[in-house]
Amino acid sequence: ELPQMDQGVTVLHVWPEGASLRRTPVHPAGRNVHQRTLYVQLNADASANLSVEETVQGVEAAGYRARYRAEGTRQERVERQLRDLFPGLELATQRFGDLTDVEQAVRFNYTGRAPQFALRDGNQLRVMPSTIGSLSRALARTQTRRHTLDLGSTTRYSERRVITLPAGARATTMPAAGEVRSAYGMARMRVTTAGSTITIDTEFELTRDRVPATEYEAFRAWMERADQLFEQRLLVEGGAP
């Protein structure tokens, strides 16, 4: 695992016969992968029971190993981090694989209850299709730039949400599947249904770690199109609150 801070930087390479300045490699997005699968039992009061599996490899993995290595503080730290994604999460269980083996991806799973998984609007529940969102605000906040934008690293994040609707409920509006590609990466969403279960697959990939100022306008436009894709909502109606 080559840390993010050590990728794409100039280093002095010294050997017995001489020395030269070289640039360290930037790993492709396929080596910096975060995968999350959520099994969601949605409740009519907008809460949800969650069972989640995650795999992290590449630049993020070292941070996960350091943060969760100590078992005594693991439960508290996992719950604190996940509450940024699922407000008010009540973590029931968590289990990690071997965090000492740096040759393997970090794997862990957890269960819990999210009291505000959806937003209730009258008789409707508004459900986010993914934790991916607000990309423009996170990665392209300003209208213009005078200098190169450093994105840190390439990355690929994929998420699957398998959502089971409450008894008596039905989906009235489904997110529209789509794909937005550019020279900087890809954003994608796929939606399938089977009875009362809706599966939403989302993926976001950054294939560049830097964006020159001359390309920033095009990069920001791509971010805005990706936001439009991921900011759709699944609307669910019915079911006793």
Side-chain angles (χ1 to χ4, degrees):
E1 297 172 359
L2 185 62
Q4 176 179 317
M5 69 182 71
D6 294 333
Q7 295 189 35
V9 298
T10 301
V11 296
L12 178 62
H13 182 210
V14 180
W15 67 97
E17 291 76 25
S20 67
L21 291 175
R22 298 189 179 183
R23 189 175 179 84
T24 60
V26 175
H27 288 169
R31 293 185 61 179
N32 299 321
V33 178
H34 189 161
Q35 297 174 306
R36 176 180 284 131
T37 301
L38 302 89
Y39 299 94
V40 181
Q41 174 59 64
L42 185 63
N43 301 315
D45 63 357
S47 69
N49 299 319
L50 306 179
S51 178
V52 186
E53 301 169 356
E54 298 199 30
T55 301
V56 182
Q57 62 184 36
V59 293
E60 286 188 64
Y64 275 78
R65 296 183 201 282
R67 187 180 305 119
Y68 300 124
R69 190 180 302 274
E71 294 188 21
T73 58
R74 188 178 292 169
Q75 178 89 4
E76 177 187 356
R77 291 187 175 189
V78 170
E79 189 170 62
R80 187 188 313 145
Q81 178 173 338
L82 292 175
R83 282 181 175 175
D84 291 338
L85 300 176
F86 313 113
L89 177 73
E90 301 160 2
L91 188 65
T93 66
Q94 50 79 20
R95 185 177 64 182
F96 281 73
D98 184 2
L99 293 178
T100 64
D101 187 353
V102 297
E103 298 299 324
Q104 300 297 320
V106 174
R107 302 180 190 277
F108 60 104
N109 58 68
Y110 50 91
T111 62
R113 177 179 178 274
Q116 302 173 43
F117 189 82
L119 176 65
R120 174 161 285 283
D121 183 7
N123 193 41
Q124 284 190 330
L125 296 177
R126 300 173 61 87
V127 184
M128 295 175 59
S130 177
T131 57
I132 306 171
S134 302
L135 295 170
S136 298
R137 185 170 59 187
L139 301 176
R141 186 183 299 267
T142 61
Q143 293 285 339
T144 60
R145 285 190 68 88
R146 296 175 56 190
H147 306 288
T148 295
L149 174 64
D150 187 348
L151 296 171
S153 67
T154 62
T155 186
R156 178 189 296 163
Y157 175 80
S158 63
E159 179 176 305
R160 166 168 287 191
R161 293 190 169 198
V162 182
I163 303 172
T164 302
L165 302 183
R170 63 186 181 91
T172 58
T173 302
M174 303 284 287
E179 184 173 303
V180 183
R181 288 186 175 272
S182 76
Y184 313 101
M186 176 272 296
R188 175 192 296 144
M189 179 156 63
R190 297 285 183 265
V191 183
T192 58
T193 61
S196 62
T197 300
I198 300 166
T199 301
I200 305 175
D201 290 291
T202 51
E203 185 174 353
F204 177 68
E205 182 178 69
L206 273 176
T207 56
R208 301 263 293 272
D209 66 323
R210 289 178 173 84
V211 178
T214 54
E215 300 179 22
Y216 180 74
E217 182 179 353
F219 174 76
R220 193 169 192 272
W222 174 57
M223 288 287 93
E224 291 173 345
R225 294 196 303 273
D227 277 337
Q228 291 173 2
L229 178 66
F230 294 131
E231 287 174 359
Q232 300 180 82
R233 294 294 182 264
L234 166 66
L235 300 186
V236 178
E237 195 171 88

